Each structure stands twice: as C-alpha cells, then as structure tokens.
Amino acid sequence: MRLIQLSRDSLNFPPPDMALREPNGLLAMGGDLSSARLLNAYHHGIFPWFSPGDPILWWSPDPRAVLPPEEFHLSRSMKRFHQKSPYSVTLNHCFSEVIAGCATDRDEGTWITPEVIQAWQTLHSQGHAHSVEVWQDDVLVGGMYGLALGQIFCGESMFSRSENASKTALLVFSGWFARQGGQLIDCQVLNPHTASLGAREISRAGYLQYVDDYARRALLTECWRPQRLFTRRC
C-alpha cells in the first residue's frame, strides 16, 4: 500500500483504513495546516505529526489510545498530592503560553514547529482549540491543549515545570469535561505516562465509531468560556 500525496487544492483524505501498518497509522503526506483541513482530518480520525524540516505527515493509528474521562486513574500518591494541591487550574486563559510550553519544555525535542503553533492559534481564535493552565501562585507551571470535537476532546500535548503539574491538568480537566457531557479524550498513541493515568487502547474502527456518535453533539452551552476550574487548597 503506497503513501498518498495530498493536494493543496483538495481537503479530502483517503479512508483511514488505508493507513500503513508500518509505521503504524501513516496515511498521507503533504497538503497544509489550514483550519479547514485540520478540522476535516480530526473529524475522520486523522491527525498531523511530523518532524521539523519534513513534509506534513498525516496519521490514523490502529489501535488508538483513548481516555473516557470518568476512567481517569487517580493513584494514592496523586490523591494525597491533590488533596493539598498548591495549584490552581484555569481554562482558556493563555493558549499561546501553553502551546509554547508544550513546544519548548521537552527533553526529546518537539514536533510543535512555528507552523504548527500558528495553525493551532488560528483554531483557538476560531473557538475550536482550547488550553488548560496550571498555576502555582501567578506562575504557569504546566498545562495541556487540544481540539474540541463536540463531546470528544482530542488532546495534543501537555507540559510540566513542577511536580505533578501535567497530571493535575488532566485530572481536573477530565472531571470538568465529564460534568459538561464529554464522552472521550483522544490520546492518539498510548505511552507510559497516559497509560498510568487510565488511557487504554481501542481499535481504529472503535474510535471512528465514537467520532461518528459524539463529534457533532454539543456540550453544555458556553462551557469553553475562559474560567477557573480548580482553586488551590493550601
């Protein structure tokens, strides 16, 4: 099965089941990162991921890593930490700073290039992309960002500059998202960090069924407005 070259003149993608088995999920290359293309991709279970200097690569892996928000795994140590948390958590207070943190606070390098940052900032300005911020006093110490697809949230990246900051972001967001009617957090590919927090793998077909069932169902009205989700306890 050959890799499909996308045209800038068309937003169409090949069917996800045409993705390669090795590397797992690689479906197509090329195109651009316009909002219309990105939204179309995510509505078909496809996302971009590529290294700086490489062409844009589009993926739809099988299996897919997901986290039903009510299944967040709260370890005993994290529960003790959160009971006396030094953090506050907000929603959509500083998207630009969060995506910049995700791009720079990584030992393994980043795929979040200036081109990617600009594309996601545009999605945020259009009301599609959202950020969660973790604060210690007035200092941003962690966070995460992603794309809202109705009752699904497609998590893109997170960062942490202080103990358990990214875990706190996902813990608080998961509870809030479930209360708004959220059904699923897409984690894309399972890794030890997300697995430890309750993420699990399902088939690509299973994930696409979630998208078909929930991506066009709305959450509670105005739930994505900037707001405080959690206030420090000490």
Side-chain angles (χ1 to χ4, degrees):
M1 195 174 292
R2 67 184 183 87
L3 190 61
I4 303 297
Q5 174 73 48
L6 300 181
S7 166
R8 286 180 175 266
D9 298 327
S10 173
L11 300 179
N12 294 331
F13 286 90
D17 60 10
M18 291 183 64
L20 301 178
R21 293 185 178 180
E22 183 60 40
N24 178 22
L26 181 57
L27 177 65
M29 64 185 295
D32 57 26
L33 296 177
S34 67
S35 294
R37 188 184 300 276
L38 286 167
L39 291 171
N40 188 46
Y42 281 86
H43 273 285
H44 289 87
I46 301 163
F47 59 88
W49 181 70
F50 56 100
S51 299
D54 288 348
I56 301 171
L57 300 178
W58 301 89
W59 303 76
S60 184
D62 188 12
R64 186 80 167 223
V66 299
L67 173 61
E70 71 279 2
E71 293 183 18
F72 182 94
H73 174 66
L74 184 61
S75 66
R76 291 182 180 180
S77 60
M78 185 61 192
K79 183 177 181 179
R80 289 193 298 269
F81 179 88
H82 192 59
Q83 286 173 341
K84 297 182 178 181
S85 177
Y87 303 139
S88 297
V89 181
T90 58
L91 176 72
N92 281 332
H93 275 228
C94 56
F95 185 90
S96 296
E97 289 86 344
V98 168
I99 195 170
C102 291
T104 58
D105 289 54
R106 313 187 72 86
D107 294 334
E108 70 274 21
T110 185
W111 66 95
I112 306 173
T113 64
E115 180 185 18
V116 171
I117 290 174
Q118 181 58 55
W120 279 89
Q121 286 179 330
T122 300
L123 286 172
H124 175 65
S125 70
Q126 295 170 344
H128 302 297
H130 306 284
S131 62
V132 177
E133 304 89 18
V134 180
W135 306 89
Q136 187 163 13
D137 298 322
D138 294 326
V139 178
L140 184 68
V141 296
M144 55 181 277
Y145 77 95
L147 182 77
L149 288 183
Q151 296 176 356
I152 297 174
F153 185 77
C154 302
E156 279 295 303
S157 186
M158 59 178 62
F159 77 100
S160 183
R161 296 171 182 160
S162 192
E163 181 184 10
N164 290 326
S166 62
K167 289 182 180 180
T168 296
L170 188 54
L171 166 63
V172 172
F173 176 78
S174 295
W176 173 86
F177 189 55
R179 293 191 296 273
Q180 309 311 307
Q183 298 294 322
L184 197 73
I185 299 172
D186 172 29
C187 301
Q188 297 179 349
V189 178
L190 196 66
N191 60 48
H193 180 62
T194 54
S196 72
L197 300 177
R200 54 183 170 85
E201 292 182 326
I202 62 174
S203 68
R204 179 198 291 129
Y207 176 71
L208 292 175
Q209 187 61 57
Y210 270 106
V211 173
D212 189 55
D213 290 342
Y214 297 113
R216 301 191 186 280
R217 296 187 185 183
L219 294 180
L220 298 181
T221 304
E222 298 183 356
C223 68
W224 293 111
R225 70 187 188 282
Q227 60 191 279
R228 185 176 295 273
L229 302 183
F230 175 79
T231 302
R232 60 177 294 177
R233 295 175 175 172
C234 62

